[in-house]
Amino acid sequence: MEADELEMVILNKAISENDLCGAKAVIDRHPKVLDVDFGASRGETPLHIAAKFGHVAIVHELMKLVGPEYLEIWDYYGYTPLATTATHTGSIPIATCMIDKNSGALTIPAQWPWLIPVTLAFFGGHNELGRYLYSVTPLQVFKPENGSFVGPEFLRTCLRNGEFDIALHLLQRCTELLFAVDEDGNSTIANIALSLPHSLHKSQLPFLKRWAYHYIKIPSTPTTGHFCVDIQQEGEDKSAGQGIGLRRWVVSSIYNLSGMKEIYKMKLQRTQADEILNLVCQNLMLLNVQKRNMIRIALNCAAQQDNAEFVLRVTKANPELISLVTSVYLNYPIFVITVVEYRKAAVFSLFLCFQFKIMAAATAAKMIAAKETGNNLLHLAALLAPASYLNCISGAALQMQRELQWFKAVESVVDPGYRLDQNKKGLIPLEYFKKNHKKLRAEGEKWMKETASSCSVVGTLIVTIMFAAALTVPGGNNQDSGYPIFMKEKLFKVFLISDALSLFSSATSVLTFLGILTSRYAEEDFLYLLPTKLIIGLSTLFLSIATMMISFSATIMIMLQYNLSRLWFTLPVTLLAGVPVTLFVLLQFPLLVKVFSSTYGPSIFKKKVEEWP
């Protein structure tokens, strides 16, 4: 092995092991190792190696020995040292050192012309470094001049990573990016439609957290009137090693201590997303053909994500855009077809709010679909929903109920003649629904019967037990009168009432479940009839279990009330009697709530525009 190659191996080992003294010794002996193809097949320089391992001291030492042009060298994979830092370690001190040496490295792309270091940092999940690099990257590099993809690709990465404040900050400074396209040909508005739904809608939170979410206030910056982190100041603080600003640190600490950090983050993202959508709405006037086409695609993207707020606010900002969701466009999925076929309830609710538009949309859908299958909009509602949608609903019976709710909702808004239209298979929508849901109906029947069988066994046991308890009352009967000995005791009255309630409710439960077992299981029965029977059966079964435990506890207390030495035994037994009730609540009560909510709770289809946030 030649001496130079040996020295390079030694230097490589020293850098990887963070041996600053060893690395300096090799460089002092052979300064030319800084100029050669150090990594052989990978084309890496010593600076690339040090940046990859994140060794700050070695990077600082190398910066003293090389010129600014050294930071413009690509390795075999097309990465500069700064791009390597952004991709692998996300070290802010290393990035700061490199930028101080050559700020031009911020604009040198890696691999592809649109992957500059700041984009690579966010793409690799190094958000802290990304925020700092954004604060020092020139605005000019993001502008969509000469067909550059840098700005749109950077915005798409920020939106996907949830860095909405940075996306908002850049869009406020460069609004022309809204209609710029990324490398895949998607406009920024389309990427916004795809990325904002999770921020525009609250998650299903417990009551207290929902209350906290409502009352948390997000401050606005006094300079712009909009919420946006002072990126520049934040970047300077981080580059100086001082962490985030004092105000943000205090707020963050408060919400960490009170367990509200996630709620605050949700509200923060909601506020930022709302500002981005406001910015979109402010730039929807005087649109040319190209921009209108971008808006149409963005609306379709919003429909795919069930982002109703995007659709509502965009069409309110420019009512002429409503025609984009009801017109026929070749080679693109019709808006209303996407909504119905993929079960996007929130967006479909907008059609219920504006029924004068659903007819035009239904006609357009019929024109497109009839070319191949002869299906109208109601036929599309009769198709089986995607598995990803059905898997979010518990139980095949509730899935069947949800499918019927969708079919009835579409049926209520289309022209009555659509109900009798035949497709190319000669099936009207209802027949088509039965054919497509045959397997799901069978699975729903099986699920209902298994649930009813299991619960009816429990109900039958309770009926037997409580009937026997009514005949053999605690303490027995008076031999002369035949009346129970403890007839005048208050606890005995509690026993009688709870025993009677348990007996009657369990008998009702058994009969109800028997009715479920003997039902005909037609498709329309899953809408109200079968769920109602299940609600009655589960409710009465729960009542019978609870009253049975009350009856048992009352019996124990009657038997021990005159024996003071055994009163200590009463409380533990009474508490243990609550265990079956608790288990039932934990295991079965959620099912009862889901069935009741799905059948008689708020509809998944909103009726008024005012209900939207």
Side-chain angles (χ1 to χ4, degrees), residues 328-572:
V328 179
Y329 290 88
L330 297 178
N331 302 322
Y332 286 99
I334 284 295
F335 184 87
V336 72
I337 292 179
T338 301
V339 170
V340 173
E341 189 171 354
Y342 294 97
R343 305 297 193 262
K344 305 303 181 181
V347 177
F348 182 77
S349 298
L350 294 179
F351 286 106
L352 299 182
C353 299
F354 305 108
Q355 286 199 20
F356 65 94
K357 285 295 179 184
I358 192 66
M359 300 306 299
T363 302
K366 184 177 180 180
M367 292 171 62
I368 288 291
K371 294 179 181 179
E372 298 180 359
T373 63
N375 293 334
N376 61 32
L377 189 63
L378 200 52
H379 281 101
L380 294 178
L383 292 171
L384 186 66
S388 57
Y389 177 81
L390 293 177
N391 290 339
C392 298
I393 305 170
S394 302
L398 294 183
Q399 292 175 0
M400 187 68 184
Q401 182 191 49
R402 181 60 57 82
E403 287 290 84
L404 279 163
Q405 289 172 344
W406 262 102
F407 186 79
K408 295 295 183 182
V410 176
E411 187 180 48
S412 67
V413 295
V414 298
D415 187 90
Y418 279 44
R419 303 174 190 177
L420 302 178
D421 276 355
Q422 293 183 347
N423 60 12
K424 292 188 177 181
K425 295 182 179 180
L427 299 175
I428 64 173
L430 183 58
E431 294 171 340
Y432 198 51
F433 179 90
K434 292 180 178 180
K435 177 184 177 181
N436 292 322
H437 292 80
K438 185 177 180 180
K439 182 178 179 181
L440 183 60
R441 187 207 63 79
E443 292 176 354
E445 178 181 352
K446 180 182 177 182
W447 183 84
M448 290 288 289
K449 286 184 175 180
E450 289 178 350
T451 303
S453 298
S454 302
C455 293
S456 61
V457 170
V458 178
T460 303
L461 290 174
I462 296 175
V463 169
T464 305
I465 293 170
M466 302 317 293
F467 186 79
L471 298 179
T472 57
V473 296
N477 299 324
N478 189 301
Q479 297 298 326
D480 298 329
S481 63
Y483 287 103
I485 294 175
F486 295 115
M487 187 67 180
K488 297 182 179 180
E489 296 288 339
K490 292 182 178 180
L491 286 174
F492 188 79
K493 294 178 181 179
V494 173
F495 164 78
L496 286 180
I497 295 172
S498 58
D499 183 271
L501 286 174
S502 182
L503 178 62
F504 298 150
S505 59
S506 59
T508 303
S509 175
V510 171
L511 293 174
T512 304
F513 288 125
L514 180 62
I516 293 176
L517 292 172
T518 57
S519 297
R520 61 173 184 163
Y521 289 98
E523 284 79 5
E524 56 269 21
D525 291 344
F526 285 90
L527 191 58
Y528 285 108
L529 181 61
L530 290 173
T532 300
K533 289 181 178 180
L534 187 60
I535 291 170
I536 295 173
L538 290 174
S539 301
T540 52
L541 182 61
F542 173 74
L543 178 61
S544 66
I545 293 175
T547 51
M548 180 179 67
M549 292 298 102
I550 294 173
S551 176
F552 172 77
S553 301
T555 302
I556 295 296
M557 295 176 69
I558 290 172
M559 294 172 62
L560 299 179
Q561 63 179 329
Y562 296 114
N563 192 336
L564 297 177
S565 62
R566 296 183 181 179
L567 283 178
W568 62 270
F569 183 71
T570 305
L571 183 60

Side-chain angles (χ1 to χ4, degrees), residues 202-203 205-217 255 260 263 267:
K202 292 186 292 185
S203 300
L205 298 172
F207 172 75
L208 290 178
K209 289 187 176 181
R210 199 160 57 240
W211 177 86
Y213 179 95
H214 178 73
Y215 284 100
I216 287 176
K217 301 298 181 184
Y255 284 104
M260 292 295 158
I263 307 300
K267 189 63 175 282

Side-chain angles (χ1 to χ4, degrees), residues 96-409:
T96 304
C97 178
M98 292 180 177
I99 294 168
D100 289 342
K101 188 75 173 182
N102 184 354
S103 61
L106 288 165
T107 61
I108 299 177
Q111 292 183 312
W112 292 284
W114 54 88
L115 287 179
I116 61 175
V118 63
T119 305
L120 287 171
F122 282 117
F123 191 78
H126 304 300
N127 291 2
E128 299 301 319
L129 174 61
R131 298 175 74 83
Y132 166 65
L133 292 178
Y134 173 73
S135 70
V136 294
T137 301
L139 175 62
Q140 189 64 31
V141 73
F142 296 111
K143 293 187 175 182
E145 297 175 356
N146 302 321
S148 172
F149 297 137
V150 172
E153 284 291 335
F154 173 73
L155 283 171
R156 179 167 70 167
T157 304
C158 287
L159 290 168
R160 289 182 176 181
N161 284 20
E163 297 291 336
F164 296 137
D165 57 337
I166 292 183
L168 173 62
H169 189 263
L170 178 57
L171 288 170
Q172 286 175 333
R173 295 194 298 162
C174 187
T175 55
E176 58 266 33
L177 281 170
L178 283 171
F179 293 97
V181 296
D182 58 26
E183 190 270 337
D184 293 330
N186 299 320
S187 68
T188 298
I189 288 186
N191 288 327
I192 289 173
L194 289 170
S195 303
L196 294 192
H198 299 299
S199 302
L200 292 174
H201 298 288
K202 292 186 292 185
S203 300
Q204 295 297 324
L205 298 172
F207 172 75
L208 290 178
K209 289 187 176 181
R210 199 160 57 240
W211 177 86
Y213 179 95
H214 178 73
Y215 284 100
I216 287 176
K217 301 298 181 184
I218 305 297
S220 299
T221 54
T223 55
T224 63
H226 300 290
F227 177 84
C228 184
V229 177
D230 188 347
I231 303 294
Q232 180 67 38
Q233 182 61 45
E234 185 178 333
E236 292 174 357
D237 290 342
K238 288 176 180 174
S239 65
Q242 297 176 358
I244 59 179
L246 178 62
R247 184 179 66 178
R248 290 190 65 205
W249 180 85
V250 171
V251 172
S252 177
S253 299
I254 291 173
Y255 284 104
N256 265 323
L257 293 174
S258 61
M260 292 295 158
K261 181 178 180 180
E262 292 303 316
I263 307 300
Y264 180 80
K265 183 178 179 180
M266 285 178 57
K267 189 63 175 282
L268 181 63
Q269 285 197 331
R270 162 70 200 216
T271 304
Q272 295 163 352
D274 191 65
E275 291 291 341
I276 292 175
L277 193 48
N278 284 339
L279 192 64
V280 171
C281 294
Q282 292 168 9
N283 291 270
L284 295 179
M285 307 306 292
L286 302 177
L287 301 175
N288 56 29
V289 175
Q290 183 181 11
K291 290 183 178 180
R292 286 176 66 87
N293 188 52
M294 289 182 179
I295 296 295
R296 177 180 57 78
I297 296 175
L299 289 172
N300 281 332
C301 291
Q304 294 171 12
Q305 297 294 320
D306 205 18
N307 189 351
E309 187 168 354
F310 182 93
V311 177
L312 178 64
R313 291 175 61 176
V314 165
T315 52
K316 274 190 172 182
N318 186 348
E320 293 181 359
L321 297 177
I322 296 179
S323 62
L324 297 181
V325 303
T326 60
S327 300
V328 179
Y329 290 88
L330 297 178
N331 302 322
Y332 286 99
I334 284 295
F335 184 87
V336 72
I337 292 179
T338 301
V339 170
V340 173
E341 189 171 354
Y342 294 97
R343 305 297 193 262
K344 305 303 181 181
V347 177
F348 182 77
S349 298
L350 294 179
F351 286 106
L352 299 182
C353 299
F354 305 108
Q355 286 199 20
F356 65 94
K357 285 295 179 184
I358 192 66
M359 300 306 299
T363 302
K366 184 177 180 180
M367 292 171 62
I368 288 291
K371 294 179 181 179
E372 298 180 359
T373 63
N375 293 334
N376 61 32
L377 189 63
L378 200 52
H379 281 101
L380 294 178
L383 292 171
L384 186 66
S388 57
Y389 177 81
L390 293 177
N391 290 339
C392 298
I393 305 170
S394 302
L398 294 183
Q399 292 175 0
M400 187 68 184
Q401 182 191 49
R402 181 60 57 82
E403 287 290 84
L404 279 163
Q405 289 172 344
W406 262 102
F407 186 79
K408 295 295 183 182

